[in-house]
Amino acid sequence: AYLHNGVYCIDLPVLPAEQRQRMAELLTRDFYRMAEVRRIYRRAFPGANGACLNPFTLKSLGFRAYPDYIVSNRFPNISGYIHHLLTGNGIADMRSKSQDLATVKIYWSALAKLKSEREIVEFEPQQYIALKRLQASGVSAADLEDYCAAVSAWVRPGAYFTVASLRQDSFTHSLDDLGFGDWFYGSLLAEDPARFSYRRMGGTRLFFRGRKNVQLADFLRWLVEAEPSGRIDIYELQETLERQYGISIPLYKLIEVAQNSELYYDPIMKAAYIDYDTYLEEI
């Protein structure tokens, strides 16, 4: 009971029995930031000796103590707690929990590992479904990989796309019947870096078929290059992004990016051209 981080501490102050009982009643969750534990203690016992709140007393309350947080001893370590949190109930909503875990480095590495190994899939921002929950519905890890392979076969190398644009282009897959939103399918593709690159943009993910640093300026140029005239009206460009790709970008941002890219933007015509020469040919 006196062991912490390989050292036996015999001279640490103990919690009085009344305080220990009350803290046991107050600390009902599996994880706490130490700053919150101290606040709870101060509110319950104003003026009490804060030194009584130490690894030994926290251990006696059923927690494993770390420098910045504590975790219930129901788990072997913080990694075990995080794994349980993300997979234990089949569905994990981390929107209210991620702030507490934001500075826990192990959380982010564990989250990335679980996603890359298909143990969990982010079906909405900061909301995850475990593979075992999908398997209960007849969906295997191989099915998730098959979705990525099917998209890779559908989209030509060097092309930009979103899940919304895949649907617009009539791409279908058996996983569509699961009824998830675009974020779920985008999450599958995001964990396949060998075939796809992506960037979060305008409320969704913009993908590139291949390995590349995805930039809005490059995407806009790709769209303008696809126009036979080599130009596109800025309002039409904004509408195309929203209608075809599900990307919402403010008009001022599109103009700013076009002006600072290899495109030529004419503020009078309110159009983006593939280059200045194309603009000169038009006028």
Side-chain angles (χ1 to χ4, degrees), residues 27-73:
L27 299 179
T28 57
R29 305 200 308 264
D30 289 326
F31 176 90
Y32 286 91
R33 303 286 302 175
M34 276 303 303
E36 183 179 3
V37 175
R38 294 187 186 99
R39 284 195 297 270
I40 292 172
Y41 182 70
R42 286 195 299 267
R43 284 197 299 266
F45 308 103
N49 180 11
C52 290
L53 210 59
N54 54 63
F56 165 65
T57 54
L58 290 169
K59 193 172 185 179
S60 71
L61 290 169
F63 291 93
R64 300 182 188 279
Y66 296 85
D68 297 321
Y69 51 85
I70 60 173
V71 64
S72 171
N73 62 13

Side-chain angles (χ1 to χ4, degrees), residues 207-228:
F207 290 92
F208 176 79
R209 172 69 168 82
R211 303 182 68 176
K212 180 180 181 178
N213 184 17
V214 177
Q215 300 288 343
L216 177 57
D218 295 335
F219 177 44
L220 297 185
R221 181 177 179 83
W222 182 77
L223 290 173
V224 177
E225 285 178 341
E227 296 293 322

Side-chain angles (χ1 to χ4, degrees), residues 155-156 159-169 182 199 201-208 216 219-220 222-224 226-227 232 236-249:
V155 180
R156 72 180 187 276
Y160 291 88
F161 67 97
T162 62
V163 174
S165 72
L166 289 176
R167 298 187 194 281
Q168 290 281 347
D169 293 337
D182 288 359
R199 178 181 293 271
M201 185 180 299
T204 187
R205 295 182 181 99
L206 174 65
F207 290 92
F208 176 79
L216 177 57
F219 177 44
L220 297 185
W222 182 77
L223 290 173
V224 177
E227 296 293 322
I232 187 170
E236 181 182 343
L237 178 59
Q238 185 184 44
E239 182 182 350
T240 297
L241 291 178
E242 293 182 353
R243 183 188 68 253
Q244 180 74 16
Y245 295 92
I247 298 175
S248 299
I249 303 290

Side-chain angles (χ1 to χ4, degrees), residues 29 31-36 39 68-69 81 85 93-105 107-108 111 126 128:
R29 305 200 308 264
F31 176 90
Y32 286 91
R33 303 286 302 175
M34 276 303 303
E36 183 179 3
R39 284 195 297 270
D68 297 321
Y69 51 85
Y81 165 70
L85 193 64
D93 187 345
M94 300 301 294
R95 289 173 295 179
S96 62
K97 299 182 179 69
S98 60
Q99 186 174 357
D100 282 343
L101 291 165
T103 59
V104 180
K105 293 181 180 180
Y107 169 70
W108 298 109
L111 177 63
Q126 297 189 63
Y128 305 92

Side-chain angles (χ1 to χ4, degrees), residues 256-273:
E256 178 183 299
V257 172
Q259 289 175 328
N260 292 283
S261 71
E262 295 179 358
L263 297 172
Y264 177 77
Y265 178 74
D266 179 39
I268 298 176
M269 300 297 292
K270 296 189 183 302
Y273 296 80

